[in-house]
């Protein structure tokens, strides 16, 4: 990231030097490429609520084909995509099986309850192996006292797990177990292309096991706004109505979809992000006092364990921030770094140097 600021007042260690900010808080920080901006400026548009925006229609068609579904819907955010999926799959009072640490359970403002009126069944470590068994255990047998189990939501890559990949075979086993119980399966695939690229598999090998999938255009794929919800035609028709109900019916949205169409071709960038994540992780783990579980560095995320330091995760994140390295503390002794196109390999090496300087100076 190339933003510079005068470091005056940013902390004693930087003095008055110019410090380049290396911002690894999230891959949502990616900005549109020049080509995207040009495409946005000249996008052919119409009123998408009338189904008349050719660029949105083209994006929905391409996105559906890419994930092997026969229809798709362009939505303003991943949260809305997930919530529309839940609304479309369920009835009020149903139960939805999710990982207790999933985005849907933790980071969507309780909206599954707020809008779909469903109850979440949060399963600890649902995504951490033996998913089929855990689904079977969470399933509610018919009983007058119980809510009806209706839907399972998987998340791939799994954010809280470290940006880890659930392989197509594991997804198949999990989805088969769900289907056997009569459950529908939604994939929160905000970063499903990271999973595909990291494992060298086609994205369809993941999505074919799910009734619906949501993926983000606005993260590593670098579009400014938007997500895709894909599924079968009938499902998407119903979903389109829920999108309107939630206020997600946009008009000349082709301006955004033009960038989305280019985002679908940005998957090579993800390979670079993954390589940079490995370099960052290796660099951190060579510093005495810092630990990274390298096995979990499978995509564009690095979770740094600070238990070997004399200050906690938040404290170390602050110390890094004073040196222009931005991250997010996600636990008492854990900090998350997300790699994306605005962070170069040179930035990564520089971030490691700054981390080393801080640790060596003070906190070990
Ligand atoms: C980012 C993200 C979403 C959607 O986020 P929005 O900010 O609403 O676009 C959903 N699931 C996961 C796992 C995510 O990381």
């Amino acid at each position: 990231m190339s933003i510079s600021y005068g470091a005056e007042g940013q902390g004693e260690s930087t003095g008055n030097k110019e410090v380049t900010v290396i911002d690894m808080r999230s891959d949502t920080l990616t900005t549109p490429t020049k080509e995207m901006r040009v495409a946005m400026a000249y996008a052919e548009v119409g009123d998408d609520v009338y189904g008349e925006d050719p660029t949105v229609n083209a994006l929905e068609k391409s996105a559906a084909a890419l994930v092997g579904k026969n229809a798709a819907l362009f939505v303003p955010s991943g949260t809305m995509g997930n919530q529309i999926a839940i609304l479309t799959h369920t009835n009020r009072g149903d139960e939805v099986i999710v990982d207790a640490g999933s985005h849907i359970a933790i980071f969507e403002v309780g909206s599954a309850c707020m809008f779909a009126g469903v109850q979440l069944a949060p399963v600890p470590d649902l995504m951490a192996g033996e998913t089929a068994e855990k689904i079977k255990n969470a399933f509610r047998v018919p009983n007058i006292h119980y809510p009806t189990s209706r839907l399972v939501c998987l998340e791939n890559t799994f954010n809280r797990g470290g940006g880890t990949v659930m392989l197509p075979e594991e997804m198949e086993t999990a989805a088969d177990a769900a289907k056997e119980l009569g459950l529908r399966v939604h994939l929160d695939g905000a970063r499903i292309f990271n999973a595909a690229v990291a494992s060298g598999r086609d994205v369809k090998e993941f999505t074919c096991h799910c009734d619906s999938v949501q993926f983000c255009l606005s993260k590593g794929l670098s579009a400014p706004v938007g997500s895709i919800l894909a599924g079968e035609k009938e499902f998407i028709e119903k979903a389109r109505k829920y999108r309107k109900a939630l206020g997600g019916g946009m008009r000349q949205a082709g301006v955004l979809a033009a960038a989305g169409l280019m985002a679908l071709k940005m998957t090579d960038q993800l390979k670079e992000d993954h390589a940079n994540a490995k370099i960052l992780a290796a660099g951190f783990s060579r510093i005495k006092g810092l630990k990274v579980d390298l096995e979990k560095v499978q995509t564009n995320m690095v979770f740094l364990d600070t238990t070997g330091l004399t200050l906690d995760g938040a404290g170390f994140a602050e110390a890094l921030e004073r040196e222009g390295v931005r991250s997010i503390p996600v636990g008492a002794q854990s900090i998350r770094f997300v790699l994306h196109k605005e962070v170069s390999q040179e930035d990564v090496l520089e971030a490691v140097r700054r981390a080393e300087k801080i640790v060596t100076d003070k906190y070990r």
Side-chain angles (χ1 to χ4, degrees):
M1 180 136 183
S2 56
I3 298 168
S4 292
Y5 61 83
E8 197 168 24
Q10 295 286 328
E12 79 263 39
S13 50
T14 50
N16 289 323
K17 290 189 313 258
E18 281 274 309
V19 175
T20 306
V21 177
I22 304 166
D23 199 338
M24 294 183 277
R25 286 171 301 161
S26 175
D27 46 9
T28 55
L29 298 165
T30 50
T31 55
T33 61
K34 273 203 191 96
E35 294 73 25
M36 282 178 182
R37 287 183 183 276
V38 172
M40 291 170 80
Y42 294 102
E44 219 187 306
V45 295
D47 191 329
D48 181 50
V49 174
Y50 293 169
E52 291 173 6
D53 188 302
T55 311
V56 172
N57 292 342
L59 171 62
E60 291 178 347
K61 199 169 164 209
S62 297
L66 199 58
V67 295
K69 300 293 177 198
N70 56 31
L73 188 66
F74 181 46
V75 293
S77 71
T79 298
M80 194 187 283
N82 285 337
Q83 292 308 318
I84 290 173
I86 292 171
L87 274 159
T88 310
H89 284 304
T90 64
N91 300 310
R92 290 182 75 78
D94 283 347
E95 199 166 61
V96 177
I97 298 168
V98 295
D99 190 294
S102 65
H103 196 277
I104 288 172
I106 309 263
F107 297 119
E108 300 192 4
V109 207
S111 55
C113 152
M114 207 185 286
F115 301 123
V118 296
Q119 171 165 301
L120 296 181
V123 177
D125 298 322
L126 177 68
M127 299 301 299
E130 288 166 24
T131 305
E133 279 311 305
K134 289 169 189 165
I135 290 171
K136 284 178 203 161
N137 290 337
F139 177 76
R140 305 274 201 164
V141 294
N143 179 312
I144 185 93
H145 301 93
Y146 292 164
T148 304
S149 297
R150 186 78 62 190
L151 175 68
V152 178
C153 296
L154 302 175
E155 184 179 310
N156 201 7
T157 62
F158 184 47
N159 188 337
R160 279 267 172 133
T164 43
V165 178
M166 183 184 228
L167 289 170
E169 292 71 25
E170 301 171 75
M171 283 194 65
E172 181 174 14
T173 312
D176 282 352
K179 282 170 204 165
E180 225 161 87
L181 296 165
L183 302 172
R184 315 213 77 208
V185 180
H186 171 68
L187 172 60
D188 178 356
R191 297 186 182 83
I192 192 61
F193 287 96
N194 293 82
V197 162
S199 57
R201 308 288 289 267
D202 191 287
V203 72
K204 291 188 207 67
E205 294 183 58
F206 299 87
T207 54
C208 68
H209 303 299
C210 307
D211 297 298
S212 58
V213 54
Q214 179 279 123
F215 67 89
C216 291
L217 299 164
S218 64
K219 292 188 171 160
L221 300 179
S222 301
V225 174
S227 272
I228 293 290
L229 177 63
E232 295 314 303
K233 241 185 202 98
E234 205 179 306
F235 171 85
I236 292 299
E237 261 165 42
K238 208 172 153 195
R240 196 174 290 279
K241 203 142 178 168
Y242 279 121
R243 183 186 66 175
K244 188 76 182 78
L246 294 178
M250 299 180 284
R251 301 296 180 175
Q252 283 73 37
V255 170
L256 299 171
L261 272 165
M262 306 197 118
L264 299 179
K265 301 198 166 107
M266 289 283 290
T267 47
D268 275 354
Q269 175 62 45
L270 303 180
K271 288 183 200 164
E272 226 168 281
D273 301 343
H274 297 175
N276 281 338
K278 289 202 167 64
I279 293 169
L280 184 68
F284 280 159
S285 49
R286 276 194 295 269
I287 299 170
K288 195 168 161 257
L290 300 184
K291 265 189 303 214
V292 178
D293 184 346
L294 296 173
E295 227 171 85
K296 288 195 167 169
V297 184
Q298 298 171 6
T299 59
N300 66 333
M301 294 187 190
V302 175
F303 284 71
L304 178 62
D305 179 338
T306 57
T307 44
L309 300 179
T310 58
L311 75 184
D312 64 6
F316 190 59
E318 256 172 58
L320 281 170
E321 173 109 28
R322 283 196 294 274
E323 294 293 332
V325 177
R326 308 193 77 181
S327 61
I328 293 186
V330 290
Q333 294 289 0
S334 180
I335 310 175
R336 188 189 78 168
F337 299 80
V338 185
L339 281 296
H340 55 80
K341 89 168 195 320
E342 320 283 328
V343 177
S344 67
Q345 186 180 316
E346 195 35 61
D347 291 333
V348 167
L349 298 172
E350 175 60 21
V352 172
R353 279 193 290 272
R354 290 183 199 173
E356 183 156 33
K357 180 168 167 272
I358 298 168
V359 175
T360 311
D361 281 357
K362 293 185 200 156
Y363 300 118
R364 197 164 48 192

